[in-house]
Amino acid sequence: MNIFLEVKEHLTTRQVAEFYGLQVKRNGFACCPFHEEKHPSMKLDRNYHCFGCGIGGDVIDYVSRMFGLSQYEAALKLNSRKSKIR
């Protein structure tokens, strides 16, 4: 199994977003960290999608965008923190 599949199998975007400090409501919505907003417009579960700015993707894409990393660097970062995030 490659590192991308390994990460996606064990971690959801919601788990990772909460681990890095995003306040996600019980309904799975949060304020998007990628643009200014006052009301939650980003839906998080296994993947994420912002209805405000239109971005979305999987857990690796989320970390890549948050930290300015390549997809591979984001996968490595997540893989090394897998046990702490769960």
Side-chain angles (χ1 to χ4, degrees), residues 22-55:
L22 190 66
Q23 299 295 314
V24 181
K25 297 190 180 290
R26 287 188 323 165
N27 64 1
F29 276 88
C31 288
C32 180
F34 306 118
H35 69 96
E36 289 289 322
E37 68 178 358
K38 294 182 182 177
H39 303 287
S41 67
M42 178 182 273
K43 177 71 173 171
L44 296 112
D45 45 41
R46 179 151 290 292
N47 295 311
Y48 72 100
H49 177 77
C50 178
F51 295 95
C53 64
I55 64 164

Side-chain angles (χ1 to χ4, degrees), residues 52 65 68-69 80:
R65 190 179 301 271
L69 303 171
S80 69

